[in-house]
Amino acid sequence: MDYGKLILVGLLQAALIMLAAPLLDGISRRLRARIHSRRGGSIFQTYYDLFKLLKREETVPPQASWVFAATPYILVATLLLLAMIIPSITLMSPLGLVGDLFAVIYLMALVRFFFSLSGLDSGSTFAAAGSSREMMLAVLIEPAMVVVLLTLALLAGSTNLGSISVQVASGQISFLHPAFIIGLLAFLIATAVETGKLPFDLAEAEQELQEGPLTEYSGRGMALMKLALLMKQVIVVALFLALFLPFGGAVDITSGSLILGSIIFLGKLLVFYTLVALIENAVARYRITDVTVITSLSFGIALISFVFYLALS
Amino acid sequence: MTATAIVNSLAVLLILTSLLVVESRRLKVSAYFYSLQSLVLISIFLSLAVINEAEQLYLWSITSLITKVFLVPFILLRAVKATGIVEEEPPLVGTTWSVILAALMVGLAFILVQPFHMLAVLDYKTALAVSLAHFLLGLHCMITRINALKQLLGFCLMENGSHLTLAIMAYNVPELAEIGILTDAVFAVLIMSLIAVKLYKAFGTMDASQLKMLKG
């Protein structure tokens, strides 16, 4: 195994995800406009927004500590690391040594922790409400995700993301295995909650909470936070794709298969975002108390998946 | 090999749809999910018919398409419309515990089907366990939900479970017996939904626990 090359692939993935995230958002905004019978802006509008924010002056609330200033950088850095770990254009994890399920879960928890901490730190009431919602969502959805990932790790006999991807893609873990199908559905619900798209757009609800933890951000910090949120959506979807639909990823590290893998990965993302955009425009936001029903359903489905694993192994 | 895998995974979808039937609070949505579940059940019948070359099952699928996918949900929706009750009363067991119980039931069903060693069902052990779990889920729905129509839906779930068992273990039963079983279920649902509507007219609610109040 050529680690140097793999790290280069990881960097490529991180760059791809960072660059593709605003584009995907632009496309889903355009789709939303089309569904509303509007013409909509350019699909590159999100890039323009981010660049405009980067040029603006940054203000910091007087009572904020270093956490407020550091969070945008911490979030973007952690998400870039996640983008390097999760096998998206390849089947094996580019950072094989840390390409571990538990590392991914903890890094995602780190992102969430700093995101909500920054909201609390800014001293704004709206931000604090958004932060508490973010933490509540985490408490509700994480058990389901962990149970599904555990089942998958047991099926694969390894907690390495790359090894799971390879086994699913090669059919060693059958797509028709009951535990796999049920786990897929449970993880799909968890993915929908994690991406924070509309039915679950609770922490950054624009209309009621003034974008939650982002309330007090402006200028460069705002641009980075927005970029981080967009990247997080892509990464959560990429994790789902890597675990459950890894088909088409590059098996070996040649430039041809890497380019093909990237195109297939972007295609899968595009399909996913289109479906999400359709759902987003058909539903209203859940109340936070209603989300518990969805998340406990997801947890129950995850548990059933685990039971099927136990019964059939 | 793959054919039996398809039956088993369809059976797994059956469990998921029944969870949705049990957990959705809106009665109409529950009825639609029941219709969807019956579609899954019929696709299992069809694949079993293809695998086992059992012509009886084709006829059975057509009958159950008419009764389970259209007729039973139609009766239920009419009862919902007649009473105008959109949402059920809060159940005795909340969603979290309800789904955990469901997982336990699936586990129990697997333990219960372990001693089965008949050649016919050896391939379909998952499906058999699912049908048993389905029966238990229906029972759970009947016990823990207060709304009369929801309890009726629990009965329908139990029935779907028993149908699956029958289809797996005795796919060669003559058509007449199978059709008899299916139409029997329709009348049960019809009568029970009539009772539910009567209950609503007498008490102004479909809360079955109100039944203990004597009313002259």
Side-chain angles (χ1 to χ4, degrees), chain B residues 117-134:
Chain B
H117 285 300
M118 287 159 62
L119 202 60
V121 298
L122 222 50
D123 286 340
Y124 304 114
K125 236 173 192 172
T126 314
L128 198 64
V130 163
S131 71
L132 210 58
H134 218 255

Side-chain angles (χ1 to χ4, degrees), chain A residues 174 176-179 181-182 185 292-294 296-297 299-301 303-304 307-308 311-312, chain B residues 2 5-6 9 12-13 15-16 19-20 23 95-96 99-100 102-103 106-107 110 126 130:
Chain A
S174 165
L176 288 173
H177 194 291
I181 308 172
I182 299 188
L185 285 167
T292 54
V293 177
I294 301 285
S296 50
L297 197 62
F299 179 62
I301 296 173
L303 265 188
I304 291 176
V307 169
F308 270 107
L312 294 176
Chain B
T2 47
I6 287 169
S9 38
V12 164
L13 281 185
I15 278 282
L16 290 178
L19 259 188
L20 290 172
E23 294 311 327
T95 312
T96 315
V99 288
I100 290 172
V106 176
F110 268 107
T126 314
V130 163

Side-chain angles (χ1 to χ4, degrees), chain A residues 7-84:
Chain A
I7 285 173
L8 275 180
V9 172
L11 288 172
L12 178 70
Q13 268 187 189
L16 187 72
I17 285 179
M18 187 162 79
L19 291 175
L23 181 66
L24 285 163
D25 186 57
I27 291 171
S28 67
R29 280 166 79 174
R30 181 68 175 260
L31 272 170
R32 157 179 286 253
R34 278 294 148 97
I35 294 168
H36 290 179
S37 307
R38 291 187 279 120
R39 266 187 62 216
S42 153
I43 54 168
F44 302 108
Q45 187 59 44
T46 311
Y47 293 107
Y48 305 149
D49 292 354
L50 290 177
F51 280 120
K52 187 184 70 188
L53 281 170
L54 278 177
K55 281 188 284 185
R56 291 262 173 96
E57 191 193 351
E58 196 172 357
T59 58
V60 176
Q63 63 271 52
S65 68
W66 63 270
V67 174
F68 185 84
T71 298
Y73 301 98
I74 294 173
L75 290 195
V76 173
T78 318
L79 286 165
L80 282 173
L81 181 60
L82 271 169
M84 286 178 75

Side-chain angles (χ1 to χ4, degrees), chain A residues 11-308:
Chain A
L11 288 172
L12 178 70
Q13 268 187 189
L16 187 72
I17 285 179
M18 187 162 79
L19 291 175
L23 181 66
L24 285 163
D25 186 57
I27 291 171
S28 67
R29 280 166 79 174
R30 181 68 175 260
L31 272 170
R32 157 179 286 253
R34 278 294 148 97
I35 294 168
H36 290 179
S37 307
R38 291 187 279 120
R39 266 187 62 216
S42 153
I43 54 168
F44 302 108
Q45 187 59 44
T46 311
Y47 293 107
Y48 305 149
D49 292 354
L50 290 177
F51 280 120
K52 187 184 70 188
L53 281 170
L54 278 177
K55 281 188 284 185
R56 291 262 173 96
E57 191 193 351
E58 196 172 357
T59 58
V60 176
Q63 63 271 52
S65 68
W66 63 270
V67 174
F68 185 84
T71 298
Y73 301 98
I74 294 173
L75 290 195
V76 173
T78 318
L79 286 165
L80 282 173
L81 181 60
L82 271 169
M84 286 178 75
I85 293 176
I86 294 170
S88 33
I89 60 176
T90 49
L91 283 181
M92 51 220 132
S93 173
L95 286 179
L97 295 172
V98 290
D100 185 272
L101 279 179
F102 297 104
V104 169
I105 291 173
Y106 279 115
L107 284 173
M108 282 173 64
L110 186 74
V111 169
R112 204 181 278 116
F113 173 73
F114 268 99
F115 184 59
S116 51
L117 200 62
S118 73
L120 291 172
D121 191 44
S122 69
S124 157
T125 327
F126 284 126
S131 297
S132 78
R133 282 185 177 191
E134 177 77 18
M135 286 331 277
M136 186 169 169
L137 274 183
V139 168
L140 289 173
I141 202 63
E142 230 156 48
M145 282 184 107
V146 170
V147 171
V148 175
L149 292 177
L150 183 74
T151 311
L152 213 54
L154 286 168
L155 272 174
S158 155
T159 56
N160 191 292
L161 280 173
S163 145
I164 295 175
S165 276
V166 169
Q167 290 191 37
V168 174
S170 66
Q172 266 174 292
I173 299 175
S174 165
F175 197 72
L176 288 173
H177 194 291
F180 186 82
I181 308 172
I182 299 188
L184 187 150
L185 285 167
F187 206 77
L188 193 62
I189 300 175
T191 309
V193 176
E194 280 279 310
T195 49
K197 286 283 194 174
L198 193 54
F200 305 103
D201 179 14
L202 291 152
E204 314 92 48
E206 278 166 36
Q207 293 91 332
E208 40 183 307
L209 285 185
Q210 322 280 325
E211 299 214 67
L214 303 177
T215 309
E216 295 293 334
Y217 277 98
S218 54
R220 182 187 293 271
M222 181 74 165
L224 289 176
M225 289 294 263
K226 285 239 178 202
L227 180 66
L229 282 181
L230 294 175
M231 276 173 68
K232 193 188 158 199
Q233 286 171 5
V234 180
I235 283 168
V236 172
V237 177
L239 180 62
F240 173 76
L241 292 174
L243 290 172
F244 291 97
L245 302 166
F247 311 102
V251 181
D252 48 358
I253 312 168
T254 54
S255 52
S257 61
L258 281 180
I259 290 169
L260 190 66
S262 326
I263 291 169
I264 291 173
F265 174 61
L266 286 176
K268 285 192 279 193
L269 279 181
L270 202 60
V271 171
F272 208 93
Y273 267 72
T274 312
L275 291 177
V276 166
L278 291 177
I279 295 168
E280 245 191 328
N281 288 294
V283 294
R285 173 177 299 122
Y286 277 117
R287 284 179 301 169
I288 190 93
T289 46
D290 293 339
V291 172
T292 54
V293 177
I294 301 285
T295 50
S296 50
L297 197 62
S298 161
F299 179 62
I301 296 173
L303 265 188
I304 291 176
S305 152
F306 183 59
V307 169
F308 270 107

Side-chain angles (χ1 to χ4, degrees), chain B residues 82-159:
Chain B
T83 56
I85 288 181
V86 182
E87 239 170 79
E88 65 162 326
E89 292 82 5
L92 294 176
V93 178
T95 312
T96 315
W97 286 107
S98 181
V99 288
I100 290 172
L101 266 175
L104 286 177
M105 281 172 207
V106 176
L108 183 67
F110 268 107
I111 295 169
L112 289 175
V113 295
Q114 274 315 309
F116 279 70
H117 285 300
M118 287 159 62
L119 202 60
V121 298
L122 222 50
D123 286 340
Y124 304 114
K125 236 173 192 172
T126 314
L128 198 64
V130 163
S131 71
L132 210 58
H134 218 255
F135 196 79
L136 291 174
L137 254 173
L139 200 62
H140 160 68
C141 182
M142 284 177 85
I143 294 170
T144 59
R145 311 286 138 158
I146 324 175
N147 188 288
L149 278 181
K150 205 56 184 281
Q151 293 180 345
L152 180 46
L153 272 165
F155 168 78
C156 295
L157 289 184
M158 286 172 75
E159 210 187 62

